Amino acid sequence: PALGLFLFTIARDPLRIIILIAGAFFWLVSLLLSSLIWFIAVKASDPQDEPLQKGLLIFGVMFSVLLQEAFRFLYYKLLRKAIEGLVALSEDGCSPISIQQMAYVAGVGFGLMSGAFSMINLLADALGPGTVGIHGDSQLYFLTSAFMTMVLIFLHTFWGILFFHGCEHRRWWEIAAVVVMHLAVSGSTFCNPLYVGSLVPSYLLMAAAAAWAYSLSGGSTQNLRRFLLCK
Amino acid sequence: MITFMNNSDSEEEPCNERTSLMSAESPPVPSYQDGLQASEAGEAQAHRKRRTGGSRNPNNITDGETPGTGVPVRESTSENEEEELTLKYGAKHVIMLFVPVTLCMIVVVATIKSVRFYTEKNGQLIYTPFSEDTPSVGQRLLNSVLNTIIMISVIVVMTVFLVLLYKYRCYKFIHGWLILSSLMLLFLFTYIYLGEVLKTYNVAMDYPTLFLVIWNFGAVGMICIHWKGPLQLQQAYLIMISALMALVFIKYLPEWSAWVILGAISIYDLMAVLCPKGPLRMLVETAQERNEPIFPALIYSSAMIWTVGMAKPDTASRGPSQQTWDAAEDGRENHRSPSRAASQMSETSPAPTRAVTSLEELEEEERGVKLGLGDFIFYSVLVGKAAATASGDWNTTLACFVAILIGLCLTLLLLAVFKKALPALPISITFGLVFYFSTDNLVRPFMDTLASHQLYI
């Protein structure tokens, strides 16, 4: 689905592609920094101690989430500046791309990158021989991973919109809500392999975020109905 | 890169020389901005003065630039318009460069992942005589540094040689050299590549078929690259060539040497282009003085470039504007980065075929951005090496890919700001290297642990 989003909405406009790649880049950098922190923490601690390792992992995850959001904010700042530049330089005084579109594209960028990083090794291994869950792990590993990744990509997209909107209108609570949601989703994955604990809340959150983002972008139930009935 | 038969048995060397030399060779004609200014000037003239023949000379054009032309107002407006146009077309051009670079990388990565041949170590080039199979780390490091020094010095020598040739107008020699290299590249390497791919997929092919296929491929390639041909076909060939070259590099360069060489080449590129005495820069300037188009065959261009004499009878009705467009077009060779150019010149097919196709098309594709083929090659080498040797597999490859694209973006941005030929390698390669090493060592364990617990961040 993410690829479909990309193809249909982003591939047309070169500016959007650049923003997408830059978004992916920012996510990557945040990942890099967070893994650096985690790595240092692990090296500095005792590798034999299991609970400690788990604790460190959790800490790493939380930290990474926070860093991601921080980088989203930085990216927002950068895009603001870019928009001002574009507006100043365009002929008719308005920017070729609106901040909302940028928010959307940035969200997709983040999402794609995170999804890619989560899934791609899995996919590569899936091509090879083997049985899923042979060591007593869940047999639904691949399936759930795929769903989880998809929900995460969508969530990133929506969070991008919400986040930028919050920054635009200076509604700090929106930003805080995004961060909290992200933390919640990541936290829920700690329940894995008890999948019901992670997938279901994530999907619910995604639906909520989708509705919120939709309403922020100017949609309404009327629009939706008209769209669905093809009027 | 270049496959240039230099009575050396290693295939790559010539390429190296070539690329580094060539990239510089092709006079970057006016840089991006100049091109813009040229077209600006063209437009302005067409509108105001109907001065035909406009500025044929790319470099001196830009009305905006020549001081004391007595038209200060025009100067400022044209500058403004230029900037606007720059940025407006900026995104489009970036994408026009993204696509081929991405394609090249995809081809290289796909081949590396599937064909075993390119990851086996079957020996080294003569240009990297020191082996890396030494027991101690220090020794290995020393060997790789020595390899790099040798490689870089060979490249420098070749570059200087080429610049001298160009300066003393030994065009025939250069042409012959280029043709020979591209010949070898197109035929020999393709043969090896095809052989390996067929081996991997266990497809049988008899010699006559093989001969036919390779002959056709090579012949069309030669024509397309050195003479005339549809733009897309030419671009496709250039991408193929770069990919082949990159694959050869990946196979024959020992590991550490490859990384050190990548770093060293980007430094060299930086120096060669920006220092006043750098060979590449001299090449650029010489070509600009002589008002000649950059050596095609080593540059990838994203749009058609017209050479002189484009005006054709059927556009007579458009008379004056046509000519200004012509001039503007000529001026429009924005050479981006004189980094390596592999043997092909992307001399977009000269006039005749295009004249028939409309002027509108010409007007549309005014500005193309050019990138040296060596850049393609080294980007692909970086990503290919990441795919081949990284244990984190796809993550690392993906990270390097994004890093290189971002570097390219930044470089193009700088080009728009500075308006002269810039080296394309340093920024992208630096990002790529940084990301490769950090992803391989830092991110991979993190992601692996996350994945094993199925945690998501």
Side-chain angles (χ1 to χ4, degrees):
Chain A
L3 204 58
L5 266 182
F6 171 71
L7 282 176
F8 284 123
T9 57
I10 296 183
R12 297 299 154 93
D13 189 5
L15 201 53
R16 293 187 203 170
I17 296 187
I18 298 180
I19 299 180
L20 181 91
I21 303 278
F25 180 70
F26 271 79
W27 186 88
L28 202 59
V29 176
S30 85
L31 179 66
L32 201 69
L33 288 177
S34 48
S35 51
L36 178 68
I37 306 276
W38 178 80
F39 193 73
I40 295 178
V42 165
K43 283 294 178 211
S45 70
D46 178 17
Q48 300 307 102
D49 194 359
E50 265 299 325
L52 180 61
Q53 291 298 317
K54 192 109 205 279
L56 273 181
L57 199 60
I58 296 183
F59 161 71
V61 170
M62 294 300 165
F63 196 74
S64 169
V65 168
L66 291 174
L67 263 181
Q68 278 180 39
E69 298 303 324
F71 269 84
R72 213 196 289 270
F73 183 66
L74 281 176
Y75 194 42
Y76 165 73
K77 282 259 177 264
L78 185 71
L79 284 180
R80 285 288 290 164
K81 284 219 189 96
I83 264 204
E84 283 163 23
L86 282 175
V87 167
L89 290 171
S90 78
E91 284 177 345
D92 45 1
C94 73
S95 143
I97 186 169
S98 77
I99 188 78
Q100 283 146 341
Q101 284 180 344
M102 278 196 184
Y104 164 68
V105 176
V108 176
F110 268 56
L112 270 181
M113 207 55 193
S114 99
F117 261 66
S118 312
M119 265 318 268
I120 208 150
N121 273 335
L122 221 57
L123 285 174
D125 286 336
L127 285 177
T131 320
V132 184
I134 200 168
H135 284 291
D137 296 317
S138 159
Q139 289 198 328
L140 298 170
Y141 189 70
F142 282 141
L143 212 53
T144 46
S145 301
F147 276 114
M148 196 66 206
T149 310
M150 186 176 84
V151 81
L152 207 58
I153 296 180
F154 280 143
L155 274 174
H156 269 294
T157 314
F158 299 134
W159 285 334
I161 300 179
L162 293 173
F163 195 87
F164 279 39
H165 186 259
C167 290
E168 279 289 306
H169 300 268
R170 307 231 170 274
R171 295 201 205 144
W172 306 118
W173 61 273
E174 275 189 15
I175 302 177
V178 170
V179 179
V180 165
M181 257 200 277
H182 197 168
L183 282 174
V185 170
S186 289
S188 68
T189 59
F190 290 140
C191 307
N192 281 341
L194 184 65
Y195 291 122
V196 74
S198 68
L199 275 180
V200 173
S202 309
Y203 271 94
L204 288 176
L205 277 176
M206 182 186 90
W212 192 0
Y214 186 66
S215 64
L216 279 183
S217 312
S220 67
T221 45
Q222 266 202 350
N223 274 352
L224 199 59
R225 226 180 302 146
R226 253 188 283 154
F227 168 70
L228 286 175
L229 299 177
C230 291
K231 288 244 177 64
Chain B
M1 308 245 11
I2 343 321
T3 34
F4 152 145
M5 284 287 205
N6 220 347
N7 51 338
S8 64
D9 26 5
S10 86
E11 312 150 315
E12 298 165 4
E13 213 32 43
C15 302
N16 285 341
E17 316 321 288
R18 283 290 276 290
T19 44
S20 38
L21 290 180
M22 281 321 185
S23 47
E25 307 278 354
S26 4
V29 187
S31 59
Y32 198 84
Q33 200 47 27
D34 285 334
L36 254 169
Q37 289 176 346
S39 63
E40 270 302 319
E43 268 176 352
Q45 285 170 17
H47 284 148
R48 298 180 212 181
K49 285 179 193 168
R50 291 309 194 123
R51 216 172 51 187
T52 61
S55 10
R56 153 81 183 92
N57 187 351
N59 292 347
N60 322 341
I61 306 187
T62 66
D63 292 19
E65 264 187 11
T66 52
T69 41
V71 199
V73 175
R74 182 137 152 247
E75 203 171 310
S76 61
T77 49
S78 62
E79 260 180 41
N80 276 346
E81 289 168 10
E82 278 165 28
E83 277 189 35
E84 269 183 40
L85 281 176
T86 311
L87 284 181
K88 230 200 256 182
Y89 287 109
K92 187 149 165 272
H93 289 300
V94 173
I95 299 302
M96 289 205 285
L97 280 186
F98 266 13
V99 174
V101 173
T102 313
L103 277 179
C104 194
M105 287 198 226
I106 288 179
V107 169
V108 171
V109 171
T111 315
I112 292 269
K113 286 291 183 185
S114 53
V115 179
R116 285 280 142 246
F117 173 72
Y118 286 104
T119 41
E120 295 161 5
K121 304 225 37 81
N122 271 348
Q124 291 182 207
L125 292 179
I126 196 175
Y127 299 92
T128 52
F130 295 97
S131 147
E132 283 198 5
D133 277 333
T134 55
S136 76
V137 174
Q139 180 77 355
R140 188 172 190 187
L141 196 60
L142 183 67
N143 279 352
S144 52
V145 170
L146 287 174
N147 276 342
T148 313
I149 293 179
I150 294 180
M151 190 77 121
I152 299 281
S153 49
V154 175
I155 292 182
V156 171
V157 163
M158 299 298 304
T159 315
V160 171
F161 183 54
L162 204 54
V163 173
L164 284 176
L165 281 181
Y166 192 69
K167 251 187 150 56
Y168 294 116
R169 302 180 187 264
C170 311
Y171 291 143
K172 293 231 183 281
F173 190 81
I174 296 184
H175 274 303
W177 182 357
L178 286 180
I179 290 186
L180 214 52
S181 314
S182 44
L183 209 71
M184 181 176 132
L185 193 56
L186 275 177
F187 287 107
L188 184 62
F189 284 179
T190 316
Y191 171 68
I192 295 178
Y193 178 76
L194 213 54
E196 291 306 320
V197 169
L198 290 176
K199 247 190 251 177
T200 308
Y201 289 107
N202 227 359
V203 173
M205 190 186 254
D206 50 324
Y207 274 116
T209 316
L210 188 70
F211 175 69
L212 202 65
V213 168
I214 289 191
W215 170 252
N216 280 338
F217 181 75
V220 176
M222 288 298 291
I223 295 178
C224 244
I225 293 168
H226 289 279
W227 196 46
K228 308 173 193 173
L231 179 66
Q232 292 196 328
L233 198 58
Q234 189 174 35
Q235 290 176 337
Y237 265 103
L238 291 178
I239 294 178
M240 273 308 301
I241 297 280
S242 312
L244 282 176
M245 209 53 234
L247 283 171
V248 174
F249 267 131
I250 294 176
K251 178 175 172 60
Y252 284 113
L253 284 181
E255 288 206 19
W256 288 21
S257 302
W259 297 114
V260 182
I261 284 178
L262 275 175
I265 279 218
S266 47
I267 297 179
Y268 165 71
D269 199 23
L270 196 65
M271 285 184 351
V273 174
L274 296 179
C275 294
K277 275 302 177 190
L280 296 183
R281 183 159 171 160
M282 276 177 13
L283 194 58
V284 168
E285 283 168 3
T286 318
Q288 282 178 349
E289 280 165 29
R290 294 188 198 161
N291 226 6
E292 285 164 358
I294 305 176
F295 253 128
L298 294 178
I299 305 277
Y300 176 94
S301 140
S302 49
M304 292 300 281
I305 313 175
W306 295 71
T307 49
V308 192
M310 207 180 60
K312 281 295 175 180
D314 67 325
T315 55
S317 56
R318 301 246 207 165
S321 51
Q322 153 86 46
Q323 290 182 25
T324 48
W325 280 125
D326 277 354
E329 272 290 329
D330 278 336
R332 225 162 333 230
E333 307 187 88
N334 313 316
H335 177 77
R336 250 208 38 68
S337 34
S339 25
R340 335 275 104 193
S343 32
Q344 296 69 22
M345 306 226 228
S346 55
E347 185 141 1
T348 48
S349 18
T353 49
R354 300 294 277 177
V356 187
T357 50
S358 51
L359 193 54
E360 294 87 59
E361 207 174 343
L362 176 55
E363 292 177 15
E364 289 278 321
E365 300 219 63
E366 294 171 9
R367 228 159 329 191
V369 184
K370 298 206 273 203
L371 189 60
L373 281 189
D375 292 334
F376 276 83
I377 294 172
F378 282 107
Y379 292 161
S380 311
V381 167
L382 190 106
V383 177
K385 267 265 179 249
T389 64
S391 32
D393 272 357
W394 294 93
N395 279 346
T396 325
T397 313
L398 204 53
C400 288
F401 170 68
V402 173
I404 288 182
L405 284 187
I406 294 287
L408 197 61
C409 249
L410 283 177
T411 318
L412 286 175
L413 200 67
L414 283 181
L415 185 74
V417 168
F418 283 114
K419 309 185 188 13
K420 57 181 192 159
L422 289 180
L425 281 187
I427 300 181
S428 288
I429 300 262
T430 316
F431 275 7
L433 284 177
V434 163
F435 270 80
Y436 170 74
F437 285 114
S438 50
T439 313
D440 199 28
N441 297 325
L442 295 176
V443 178
R444 195 178 37 87
F446 189 45
M447 292 307 288
D448 284 345
T449 334
L450 283 184
S452 62
H453 292 282
Q454 222 177 6
L455 299 176
Y456 283 86
I457 56 166

